[in-house]
Coordinates of all heavy atoms in Angstrom, one line a residue:
Chain Z
I391 N -11.1 -20.7 7.4 CA -10.1 -20.8 8.5 C -9.2 -22.0 8.2 O -9.7 -23.1 8.0 CB -10.8 -21.0 9.9 CG1 -12.0 -20.1 10.1 CG2 -9.8 -20.8 11.0 CD1 -11.8 -18.7 10.2
T392 N -8.0 -21.7 8.1 CA -7.0 -22.8 7.9 C -5.8 -22.6 8.8 O -6.0 -21.9 9.8 CB -6.6 -22.8 6.4 OG1 -5.7 -23.8 6.2 CG2 -6.0 -21.4 6.0
D393 N -4.7 -23.2 8.5 CA -3.5 -22.9 9.3 C -2.3 -22.5 8.5 O -2.3 -22.7 7.3 CB -3.3 -24.0 10.3 CG -3.1 -25.4 9.6 OD1 -2.7 -25.4 8.4 OD2 -3.5 -26.4 10.2
N394 N -1.3 -21.9 9.2 CA -0.2 -21.4 8.5 C 0.8 -22.5 8.1 O 1.4 -23.1 9.0 CB 0.5 -20.4 9.5 CG 1.8 -19.8 8.9 OD1 2.2 -20.2 7.8 ND2 2.5 -19.1 9.7
P395 N 0.9 -22.8 6.8 CA 1.7 -24.0 6.4 C 3.2 -23.7 6.5 O 4.0 -24.7 6.4 CB 1.3 -24.1 4.9 CG 0.9 -22.8 4.5 CD 0.2 -22.1 5.7
F396 N 3.6 -22.5 6.8 CA 5.0 -22.2 7.0 C 5.4 -22.4 8.5 O 6.6 -22.4 8.8 CB 5.3 -20.7 6.6 CG 5.2 -20.6 5.1 CD1 4.1 -20.0 4.6 CD2 6.2 -20.9 4.3 CE1 3.9 -19.9 3.2 CE2 6.2 -20.7 2.9 CZ 5.0 -20.2 2.4
S397 N 4.4 -22.6 9.4 CA 4.7 -22.6 10.8 C 4.6 -24.0 11.3 O 3.7 -24.8 11.0 CB 3.7 -21.7 11.6 OG 3.6 -22.2 12.9
P398 N 5.6 -24.5 12.1 CA 5.6 -25.8 12.7 C 4.4 -26.0 13.6 O 3.9 -27.1 13.8 CB 6.9 -25.9 13.4 CG 7.4 -24.6 13.5 CD 6.8 -23.7 12.5
D399 N 4.0 -24.9 14.2 CA 2.8 -24.9 15.1 C 1.5 -24.9 14.4 O 0.4 -25.1 15.0 CB 2.8 -23.8 16.1 CG 4.2 -23.7 16.8 OD1 4.8 -24.7 17.0 OD2 4.6 -22.6 17.2
R400 N 1.5 -24.7 13.1 CA 0.3 -24.7 12.3 C -0.7 -23.7 13.0 O -1.9 -24.1 13.2 CB -0.3 -26.0 12.1 CG 0.6 -27.1 11.6 CD 1.1 -27.0 10.2 NE 0.0 -27.3 9.2 CZ 0.3 -27.4 7.9 NH1 1.5 -27.2 7.4 NH2 -0.7 -27.6 7.1
E401 N -0.3 -22.5 13.3 CA -1.2 -21.6 13.8 C -2.4 -21.3 12.9 O -2.2 -21.3 11.7 CB -0.5 -20.2 14.1 CG 0.6 -20.3 15.0 CD 1.8 -19.5 14.5 OE1 1.7 -18.9 13.4 OE2 2.9 -19.5 15.1
P402 N -3.6 -21.0 13.5 CA -4.7 -20.7 12.6 C -4.5 -19.3 11.8 O -3.8 -18.5 12.3 CB -5.9 -20.6 13.6 CG -5.3 -20.3 14.9 CD -3.9 -20.9 14.9
V403 N -5.1 -19.3 10.7 CA -5.1 -18.1 9.9 C -6.4 -18.0 9.1 O -7.0 -19.1 8.8 CB -3.9 -18.1 9.0 CG1 -3.9 -19.3 8.0 CG2 -3.7 -16.8 8.2
V404 N -6.9 -16.8 8.8 CA -8.1 -16.7 8.1 C -7.8 -16.3 6.7 O -7.0 -15.4 6.5 CB -8.9 -15.5 8.7 CG1 -10.2 -15.3 8.0 CG2 -9.2 -15.7 10.2
L405 N -8.4 -16.9 5.7 CA -8.2 -16.5 4.3 C -9.5 -15.8 3.9 O -10.6 -16.2 4.1 CB -8.1 -17.7 3.4 CG -6.9 -18.7 3.7 CD1 -6.8 -19.8 2.7 CD2 -5.6 -17.9 3.9
L406 N -9.3 -14.6 3.3 CA -10.4 -13.7 2.9 C -10.4 -13.7 1.4 O -9.4 -13.5 0.8 CB -10.2 -12.3 3.5 CG -10.2 -12.2 5.0 CD1 -9.7 -10.9 5.4 CD2 -11.6 -12.5 5.6
P407 N -11.6 -13.8 0.7 CA -11.7 -13.7 -0.7 C -11.4 -12.2 -1.2 O -11.9 -11.3 -0.6 CB -13.1 -14.1 -1.0 CG -13.9 -13.8 0.2 CD -12.9 -14.0 1.3
A408 N -10.7 -12.1 -2.3 CA -10.5 -10.8 -2.9 C -11.8 -10.1 -3.3 O -12.8 -10.9 -3.6 CB -9.6 -10.9 -4.1
L409 N -11.8 -8.8 -3.4 CA -13.0 -8.1 -3.9 C -12.6 -7.5 -5.3 O -11.6 -6.9 -5.4 CB -13.3 -7.0 -3.0 CG -14.4 -7.3 -1.9 CD1 -14.4 -6.1 -0.9 CD2 -15.8 -7.5 -2.5
A410 N -13.5 -7.7 -6.3 CA -13.2 -7.1 -7.6 C -14.6 -6.5 -8.0 O -15.3 -7.1 -8.8 CB -12.8 -8.2 -8.6
P411 N -14.9 -5.3 -7.6 CA -16.2 -4.7 -7.9 C -16.3 -4.4 -9.3 O -15.3 -4.2 -10.0 CB -16.2 -3.4 -7.0 CG -15.0 -3.5 -6.1 CD -14.1 -4.5 -6.8
D412 N -17.6 -4.2 -9.8 CA -17.8 -3.7 -11.1 C -17.4 -2.2 -11.3 O -16.8 -1.8 -12.2 CB -19.3 -3.8 -11.5 CG -19.7 -5.2 -11.6 OD1 -19.2 -5.9 -12.5 OD2 -20.5 -5.7 -10.8
V413 N -17.8 -1.4 -10.3 CA -17.5 0.0 -10.4 C -17.0 0.5 -9.0 O -17.4 0.0 -8.0 CB -18.8 0.8 -10.6 CG1 -18.5 2.2 -11.1 CG2 -19.7 0.1 -11.7
A414 N -16.1 1.5 -9.0 CA -15.7 2.2 -7.8 C -16.1 3.7 -8.0 O -15.9 4.2 -9.1 CB -14.2 2.1 -7.6
L415 N -16.7 4.3 -6.9 CA -17.1 5.7 -7.0 C -16.1 6.5 -6.0 O -16.1 6.2 -4.9 CB -18.5 5.8 -6.5 CG -19.6 5.0 -7.1 CD1 -21.0 5.3 -6.6 CD2 -19.6 5.2 -8.6
I416 N -15.4 7.4 -6.7 CA -14.4 8.1 -5.9 C -14.6 9.6 -6.0 O -14.9 10.1 -7.1 CB -13.0 7.8 -6.5 CG1 -12.7 6.3 -6.6 CG2 -11.8 8.5 -5.7 CD1 -12.6 5.6 -5.2
H417 N -14.5 10.3 -4.9 CA -14.5 11.8 -5.0 C -13.2 12.3 -4.6 O -12.6 12.0 -3.5 CB -15.6 12.4 -4.1 CG -15.7 13.9 -4.2 ND1 -16.2 14.5 -5.4 CD2 -15.2 14.9 -3.5 CE1 -16.1 15.8 -5.3 NE2 -15.5 16.1 -4.1
A418 N -12.5 13.1 -5.5 CA -11.2 13.6 -5.3 C -11.2 15.1 -5.4 O -12.1 15.7 -5.9 CB -10.3 13.1 -6.4
Q419 N -10.2 15.7 -4.8 CA -10.0 17.2 -4.9 C -9.7 17.6 -6.3 O -10.2 18.5 -6.9 CB -8.9 17.7 -3.9 CG -9.4 17.7 -2.5 CD -9.2 16.4 -1.8 OE1 -9.0 15.4 -2.4 NE2 -9.4 16.4 -0.4
F420 N -8.7 16.9 -6.9 CA -8.1 17.3 -8.2 C -8.1 16.2 -9.3 O -7.7 15.1 -9.0 CB -6.7 17.8 -8.1 CG -6.5 18.9 -7.1 CD1 -6.0 18.7 -5.8 CD2 -6.9 20.2 -7.3 CE1 -5.8 19.7 -4.8 CE2 -6.8 21.2 -6.4 CZ -6.2 20.9 -5.1
V421 N -8.5 16.6 -10.5 CA -8.2 15.7 -11.7 C -7.4 16.6 -12.7 O -7.9 17.7 -13.0 CB -9.4 15.1 -12.3 CG1 -9.1 14.3 -13.5 CG2 -10.1 14.1 -11.3
G422 N -6.4 16.1 -13.2 CA -5.6 16.8 -14.2 C -6.2 16.7 -15.6 O -7.0 15.8 -15.8

Side-chain angles (χ1 to χ4, degrees):
Chain Z
I391 317 290
T392 178
D393 52 30
N394 176 3
F396 292 96
S397 154
D399 307 332
R400 310 288 289 189
E401 299 136 2
V403 62
V404 181
L405 303 184
L406 300 166
L409 269 169
D412 294 294
V413 197
L415 308 183
I416 307 293
H417 184 72
Q419 283 85 350
F420 304 106
V421 175

